[in-house]
Amino acid sequence: MTEQNLFYENIKKYIDLSETEFAKLSSFYHIEEIQKNQMLLSEGEVCDFEGYILEGCFKIFYNEDNIKEHILYFAVEDWWVLDIGSFVSGTPSKLNIQALEDCKVIMINKEQKEKLYKAMPQTERLFRLMNQKALESIQLRMISMLNKTADKRYLEFKSKYPTLEQRIPQHQIAAYLGISHEFLSKIRRKLL
């Protein structure tokens, strides 16, 4: 599947667009290549972009007193990546977004997105539906962190990100689960 087809299929999950309308929507976006370990967003910067991931993986995280890293989620192919709070409010981000692999992302900045809304009003529905889905996902993640054992959170991780375990370091997975690398190793041994 071509990059444009992948993007088109993602959009069609939320709204119906003709190929002509999709071409118009696409004209507001551009493709960026992000190198492994490159920061797409650093804490304190204003998030002025929204990106759709064609290739690669990002981690979205915050640092506790610049000592401990807490990974909120991973964003992989066919996912969107941004700090929604910073993007909407224009305030400095509390989050960091870093590429864990070489990535290719279809990007739009805030100014272009506002122009897109005016040019194609149906895109407001698109992004409303996407934001609702993202909010639901965040709520489920919070409930999981509060109520489930590390073993169950690890199994959820494997279900949510079936290929990611082979692509990223184990300490990143441990940071996502809120446990130590050593404890993750024990869980993995126990479940084998």
Side-chain angles (χ1 to χ4, degrees), residues 82-123:
L82 77 154
D83 174 346
I84 188 79
S86 178
F87 184 81
V88 170
S89 68
T91 57
S93 179
K94 293 180 174 53
L95 302 177
N96 301 279
I97 302 175
Q98 183 179 26
L100 295 178
E101 302 172 326
D102 289 343
C103 299
K104 190 182 285 188
V105 184
I106 297 177
M107 304 284 281
I108 190 169
N109 65 33
K110 190 170 184 173
E111 180 183 341
Q112 285 296 102
K113 191 170 180 185
E114 290 300 323
K115 289 178 181 177
L116 174 61
Y117 286 155
K118 288 178 183 165
M120 300 181 71
Q122 70 268 43
T123 58

Side-chain angles (χ1 to χ4, degrees), residues 61 166 178:
F61 67 102
Q166 292 75 39

Side-chain angles (χ1 to χ4, degrees), residues 3-190:
E3 293 171 348
Q4 285 296 323
N5 286 346
L6 187 64
F7 187 41
Y8 188 34
E9 290 302 315
N10 183 277
I11 299 297
K12 284 184 2 181
K13 290 177 191 174
Y14 302 98
I15 61 172
D16 290 324
L17 287 181
S18 68
E19 288 185 22
T20 303
E21 289 170 322
F22 177 71
K24 183 177 179 180
L25 178 141
S26 295
S27 70
F28 288 87
Y29 287 82
H30 65 280
I31 293 179
E32 284 190 31
E33 294 190 9
I34 312 296
Q35 302 302 307
K36 181 178 180 176
N37 296 321
Q38 183 179 337
M39 297 299 289
L40 190 58
L41 179 71
S42 294
E43 182 179 351
E45 297 175 347
V46 174
C47 182
D48 188 35
F49 66 86
E50 182 173 78
Y52 172 75
I53 303 168
L54 295 168
E55 296 174 12
C57 173
F58 292 91
K59 66 177 178 179
I60 294 73
F61 67 102
Y62 72 95
N63 284 315
E64 181 183 329
D65 300 323
N66 290 321
I67 298 170
K68 186 173 182 182
E69 183 176 280
H70 299 278
I71 298 176
L72 298 166
Y73 65 96
F74 298 102
V76 294
E77 294 87 357
D78 198 33
W79 286 43
W80 292 81
V81 64
L82 77 154
D83 174 346
I84 188 79
S86 178
F87 184 81
V88 170
S89 68
T91 57
S93 179
K94 293 180 174 53
L95 302 177
N96 301 279
I97 302 175
Q98 183 179 26
L100 295 178
E101 302 172 326
D102 289 343
C103 299
K104 190 182 285 188
V105 184
I106 297 177
M107 304 284 281
I108 190 169
N109 65 33
K110 190 170 184 173
E111 180 183 341
Q112 285 296 102
K113 191 170 180 185
E114 290 300 323
K115 289 178 181 177
L116 174 61
Y117 286 155
K118 288 178 183 165
M120 300 181 71
Q122 70 268 43
T123 58
E124 289 204 60
R125 180 175 191 275
L126 162 71
F127 292 107
R128 177 181 53 82
L129 293 173
M130 288 173 32
N131 289 336
Q132 288 172 346
K133 184 178 176 186
L135 180 58
E136 176 188 24
S137 180
I138 289 167
Q139 287 176 334
L140 292 173
R141 169 112 165 97
M142 288 173 59
I143 291 167
S144 177
M145 290 298 288
L146 293 170
N147 293 322
K148 295 190 178 168
T149 65
D151 295 19
K152 288 183 180 176
R153 292 194 314 269
Y154 173 66
L155 292 173
E156 276 184 351
F157 164 82
K158 288 177 65 81
S159 175
K160 185 172 186 172
Y161 302 104
T163 64
L164 200 52
E165 194 165 14
Q166 292 75 39
R167 294 168 54 185
I168 63 172
Q170 296 299 302
H171 71 275
Q172 300 285 349
I173 297 168
Y176 171 80
L177 297 173
I179 60 176
S180 69
H181 179 267
E182 294 78 18
F183 192 54
L184 175 59
S185 294
K186 288 179 185 176
I187 291 172
R188 292 178 74 221
R189 280 194 302 274
K190 181 172 89 173

